[in-house]
Amino acid sequence: MGFATDAIHAGQQPDPTTGAIITPIYQTSTYVQAEIGKHKGYEYARTQNPTRAALEANIAALERGVCGIAFASGLAAINATLTLLKSGNHVVASSNLYGGTFRLFVRILATFGLEFSFVDTSNINLVEAAIQSSTRMIFIETPTNPTMTISDLAAISRIAQAHRLRFVVDNTFMSPYFQRPIELGADIVIHSTTKFLNGHSDSIGGMVVVKDPEEGERLAFIQNAAGAILSPFDAWLILRGTKTLAVRMRQHDANGRAIARFLGGQRQVQKIYYPGLADHPQHELAQRQMSGFGSMIAFELGSLEKANTLLKHVRLCSLAESLGGVETLISHPATMTHASVPREDRIRLGITDGLVRISVGIEDVEDIITDLEQALSRL
Ligand code: P1T
């Protein structure tokens, strides 16, 4: 089946009791058993829930994996994945990651004996050079949040295979509509479903998709044993979201390209980070491994004052953390999503005080342009 068909149907059958076309919200904590050990495959709702199972199967199909494991947030999904490792194991990670992921690695997981090297994973040589005898995982975002750096999925997967490392990709920014890392050799794909997969800014959730059934069993064990599960209602919301993923992503992409073009013509904008622009350093790689460029754009205004002036004057665009919703969100990474990254690291990565990030929504693009135009004119 094609992607849009899978997005609507994969993992979902009409409800066996009523024929309801939509998977119900199984809002229950437990399931009645007929006798000891005799049940319908459902014992306790931390362990199994039919609404959650439908979502897990749906997103696993979209990512072309074998199994999905849903969590209470993107960070819970990342945390669970990292607990596949043991104390003393080393991880090669992208130097630019969502600030919360960096904080989880450095402030929590490192205190339990996991070791991290943060390198620019867009440079294959640096990835290879960072591998140690204790390395067990390569963890990347591509494109990265917020500077939109692209890493070569196929090349890194070859390195991971040669060294027998798990290759983990946070695919939140592209969604499986534009990029499917498992097809390019990744072992594990992670999503903050909070973003494009749900798409409506009304749920927090996370998903891990694996290509190896045994790894899926281990993660399902962690899901149950550590307990950071996704609620049935959130699973239902995200299932509703994925049904329109294809059409939303097409519009996000069209609007993203138009806004990047518009920003390129503004004298107040000093630099634009968007892989769809021909002068993006990995534009060709982006064209090769993604089928669209999406709607995440960062741009440099030169100072905190200028960024603040723009953000104070936007009306249609909402100043808010998060991304991937139908409405345009605009944010200031240095003080919001990446505040937990030390200042010198931030500056080195390009996350300056003048950097603004926009998650272009699917409103009429002329309205977004008009809003940005009037806000930029205040600078
Ligand atoms: O917020 P949560 O669902 O826990 O997801 C964390 C997360 C993981 N990975 C990436 C690439 C992310 O961007 C995020 C969350 N990001 C934001 C809240 C943000 O505004 O960038």
Side-chain angles (χ1 to χ4, degrees):
M1 294 285 182
F3 186 95
T5 309
D6 278 345
I8 293 164
H9 295 284
Q12 297 155 90
Q13 265 81 48
D15 179 50
T17 359
T18 62
I21 192 160
I22 296 301
T23 304
I25 305 168
Y26 283 90
Q27 192 67 39
T28 187
S29 60
T30 194
Y31 309 89
V32 177
Q33 309 189 14
E35 58 183 80
I36 292 174
K38 193 164 173 209
H39 53 75
K40 300 182 160 114
Y42 297 93
E43 296 151 275
Y44 184 60
R46 173 163 31 74
T47 325
Q48 309 107 342
N49 180 281
T51 321
R52 193 178 82 207
L55 177 70
E56 291 171 332
N58 180 255
I59 297 180
L62 298 184
E63 283 289 359
R64 308 293 184 239
V66 299
C67 146
I69 308 96
F71 293 90
S73 68
L75 278 179
I78 295 169
N79 186 56
T81 303
L82 272 284
T83 63
L84 291 167
L85 302 177
K86 294 191 177 66
S87 174
N89 288 175
H90 172 255
V91 179
V92 176
S94 300
S95 47
N96 176 206
L97 292 170
Y98 165 57
T101 306
F102 177 80
R103 181 178 57 193
L104 170 67
F105 287 2
V106 171
R107 303 268 304 272
I108 298 185
L109 297 175
T111 67
F112 286 88
L114 290 187
E115 290 166 11
F116 295 90
S117 294
F118 295 97
V119 301
D120 176 0
T121 51
S122 71
N123 182 336
I124 293 303
N125 298 330
L126 295 181
V127 175
E128 184 99 54
I131 292 171
Q132 309 172 5
S133 58
S134 59
T135 306
R136 294 290 177 273
M137 181 180 283
I138 301 176
F139 185 104
I140 72 164
E141 276 176 22
T142 182
T144 61
N145 181 355
T147 59
M148 304 303 290
T149 309
I150 312 282
S151 295
D152 188 332
L153 288 165
I156 296 179
S157 87
R158 281 194 291 275
I159 294 176
Q161 271 162 29
H163 294 268
R164 299 175 160 275
L165 311 176
R166 281 188 183 88
F167 179 26
V168 183
V169 181
D170 183 331
N171 197 28
T172 298
F173 267 36
M174 277 301 113
S175 91
Y177 185 69
F178 285 133
Q179 174 171 277
R180 287 184 290 280
I182 287 176
E183 288 181 343
L184 295 170
D187 300 298
I188 298 181
V189 170
I190 292 181
H191 280 280
S192 166
T193 59
T194 314
K195 317 304 182 201
F196 291 101
L197 289 178
N198 181 53
H200 294 75
S201 307
D202 52 12
S203 155
I204 297 277
M207 185 68 70
V208 183
V209 177
V210 298
K211 70 173 177 197
D212 170 18
E214 271 180 40
E215 194 88 311
E217 276 170 33
R218 269 195 289 276
L219 276 155
F221 173 80
I222 292 167
Q223 180 192 41
N224 180 50
I229 53 160
L230 187 71
S231 80
F233 181 54
D234 285 290
W236 182 86
L237 281 174
I238 302 160
L239 265 177
R240 189 168 65 159
T242 58
K243 287 187 199 301
T244 56
L245 184 65
V247 283
R248 282 189 288 108
M249 292 313 290
R250 285 199 282 269
Q251 195 59 46
H252 276 298
D253 184 64
N255 285 7
R257 289 175 200 231
I259 296 296
R261 256 194 319 274
F262 160 76
L263 291 170
Q266 303 305 303
R267 61 172 172 76
Q268 301 93 334
V269 176
Q270 297 175 2
K271 187 170 180 189
I272 304 174
Y273 301 84
Y274 183 66
L277 295 175
D279 64 356
H280 183 283
Q282 295 101 28
H283 176 62
E284 278 170 25
L285 171 62
Q287 278 181 313
R288 256 203 328 275
Q289 70 182 19
M290 293 148 46
S291 55
F293 303 112
S295 69
M296 295 303 298
I297 305 170
F299 55 98
E300 178 60 53
L301 293 176
S303 71
L304 180 63
E305 291 67 34
K306 287 179 175 164
N308 200 27
T309 303
L310 177 85
L311 296 170
K312 262 194 337 211
H313 286 98
V314 285
R315 296 189 199 120
L316 175 64
C317 306
S318 302
L319 172 58
E321 305 225 10
S322 204
L323 58 108
V326 290
E327 54 286 285
T328 298
L329 300 181
I330 194 159
S331 67
H332 185 243
T335 56
M336 296 168 78
T337 51
H338 292 71
S340 54
V341 179
R343 184 177 164 78
E344 61 275 20
D345 291 349
R346 265 197 284 115
I347 302 297
R348 193 169 32 77
L349 293 168
I351 310 172
T352 60
D353 290 347
L355 190 76
V356 170
R357 188 190 76 182
I358 184 163
S359 166
V360 181
I362 60 171
E363 301 97 337
D364 291 305
V365 75
E366 303 75 30
D367 293 333
I368 307 171
I369 289 175
T370 305
D371 188 37
L372 289 172
E373 222 162 21
Q374 63 78 23
L376 281 168
S377 74
R378 312 288 187 125
L379 268 64

